[in-house]
Amino acid sequence: MPVTRTDGIEQWWIDTYEMNVLHGLQQKESRLEGTCRNVVIDGEARRMNFIGQRDMKELTNTLGDTEWEDSKHEDRWLYSKPYYDAFMVDPKDVEKSFTDPASDMTQESIFAARRQKDRTIIKAFKAPVIAGHDKDFVRTWDPGNTLSVQLGGNSANTGLNLEKLKEAKYRLDCAEIDETDRRFFAISARQLRDLLGATEVTSKDYNAVQALVEGRIDEFLGFKFIRLELLPIDSTTKIRSCFAWSQNSMAFGQRKGITVKAGEVIQKHFAKGVEVQIDLAALRLYDKGVYEVPCDETV
């Protein structure tokens, strides 16, 4: 027999709803979740170790003293933050809303969780990073990692164009990003349109760009393109912040998955209320592996 709560909502309804949301998230991951190094967060924070490049020395004297070199080592801290979505449920639709995986309530919770994952990663691209073994200093965003919004525009602001794509690729190449480390480029729908308009029909790149815009391919110049409309845009200048990065240059983790709390809300005449919670974190691990690409979106 199902256990009935004193607030009138059966516990197995809540458990079923939670599992429906979790299953939906597994089927439809956020657009950016798979573009970062996935890590496990056991507590409020996790220490991430960054080891710089090392070089070999020629061994000229087998009986000589060994020359020791310190590692270029830095600790960075990944802090998890809780998020929630609370809403009321019509008493007539409680059972269906909780137990039907296709219900509007279930789908909206899935979408909200996916969007929060993406927002968390987007914010982490440029966010200050707490670093050091004792968390004693902060790594701020390097302005040199932001490309010029005028690149390819003869002193005028431009949208996304081939010059910006090539410059982002060049920066990552110079940073010696491993060839097996996947590269991503986050843009909005406007950048896809601008990219096609900025590419000459006679260009050898035109067909590839056209296929990218039409969705027939999602990779170009070594980048896998991800379109989403959550990227920040300045309301005054209409300049959108797009980003290029390598997978191992960003970290993402969840302290816990979806949890659901439900019950009667006294202040709302004992109507049924639901709160969905999730605990997430994202972190920029390697500064030279993440670049901001500003794109003009003025009409």
Side-chain angles (χ1 to χ4, degrees):
M1 294 291 292
V3 178
T4 302
R5 297 163 55 103
T6 57
D7 55 20
I9 302 180
E10 294 181 354
Q11 182 61 45
W12 75 275
W13 290 355
I14 300 174
D15 294 340
T16 301
Y17 178 70
E18 186 172 287
M19 291 305 300
N20 285 339
V21 175
L22 284 171
H23 183 65
L25 284 171
Q26 290 168 356
Q27 289 182 320
K28 304 174 182 179
E29 67 177 15
S30 77
R31 298 186 187 183
L32 298 182
E33 182 177 1
T35 68
C36 305
R37 182 194 303 182
N38 283 312
V39 298
V40 176
I41 305 174
D42 295 325
E44 179 184 355
R46 171 172 171 172
R47 184 172 64 188
M48 305 292 297
N49 296 316
F50 169 74
I51 305 295
Q53 292 181 346
R54 300 191 58 80
D55 295 312
M56 302 289 289
K57 293 183 177 65
E58 181 183 0
L59 180 59
T60 57
N61 184 358
T62 57
L63 299 179
D65 293 337
T66 300
E67 296 181 29
W68 300 95
E69 292 286 345
D70 289 336
S71 296
K72 298 175 182 177
H73 176 275
E74 181 175 286
D75 293 325
R76 296 194 172 192
W77 292 86
L78 185 67
Y79 279 91
S80 184
K81 293 183 179 180
Y83 301 90
Y84 76 94
D85 179 33
F87 48 90
M88 308 300 295
V89 185
D90 189 326
K92 300 188 298 297
D93 300 325
V94 168
E95 181 177 0
K96 183 173 187 287
S97 297
F98 275 79
T99 59
D100 183 2
S103 71
D104 292 340
M105 194 174 83
T106 302
Q107 294 301 311
E108 285 304 319
S109 288
I110 293 171
F111 298 150
R114 289 167 59 189
R115 284 192 293 268
Q116 188 56 56
K117 290 181 179 181
D118 289 342
R119 289 190 178 103
T120 300
I121 294 170
I122 291 170
K123 184 177 180 180
F125 283 138
K126 289 184 65 177
V129 174
I130 297 177
H133 183 274
D134 298 319
K135 311 174 188 177
D136 50 357
F137 66 93
V138 176
R139 291 285 189 193
T140 59
W141 174 255
D142 183 354
N145 283 20
T146 299
L147 276 57
S148 171
V149 70
Q150 297 180 348
L151 187 61
N154 297 320
S155 300
N157 292 350
T158 64
L160 187 61
N161 53 42
L162 284 175
E163 289 302 313
K164 291 182 179 180
L165 291 181
K166 292 176 181 177
E167 180 66 18
K169 171 179 164 46
Y170 170 73
R171 298 281 188 98
L172 289 173
D173 288 343
C174 289
E176 290 286 7
I177 299 298
D178 192 280
E179 293 182 357
T180 61
D181 192 357
R182 296 196 68 187
R183 299 180 180 187
F184 299 92
F185 210 118
I187 57 177
S188 75
R190 175 64 181 268
Q191 279 73 63
L192 279 177
R193 192 186 75 174
D194 288 347
L195 185 59
L196 186 61
T199 309
E200 296 293 338
V201 176
T202 56
S203 168
K204 63 181 177 62
D205 295 312
Y206 180 79
N207 289 336
V209 171
Q210 188 175 45
L212 178 68
V213 174
E214 293 175 353
R216 289 186 279 119
I217 63 173
D218 61 4
E219 295 194 16
F220 181 58
L221 286 180
F223 291 106
K224 178 178 175 62
F225 284 80
I226 300 182
R227 186 198 63 77
L228 71 170
E229 305 304 310
L230 298 176
L231 294 168
I233 183 170
D234 189 296
S235 59
T236 302
T237 63
K238 301 300 181 185
I239 293 176
R240 174 89 67 177
S241 292
C242 300
F243 292 93
W245 72 100
S246 74
Q247 185 165 15
N248 287 325
S249 296
M250 294 293 299
F252 174 80
Q254 299 182 67
R255 185 179 180 185
K256 63 179 179 180
I258 289 286
T259 57
V260 178
K261 306 293 183 182
E264 292 182 341
V265 182
I266 299 175
Q267 296 88 341
K268 298 296 181 182
H269 304 289
F270 298 92
K272 304 300 186 291
V274 180
E275 182 169 308
V276 181
Q277 300 177 354
I278 193 168
D279 215 312
L280 308 170
L283 171 72
R284 185 178 68 255
L285 286 174
Y286 181 41
D287 293 336
K288 294 301 181 182
V290 183
Y291 290 91
E292 181 184 21
V293 185
C295 295
D296 188 9
E297 289 195 7
T298 54
V299 178

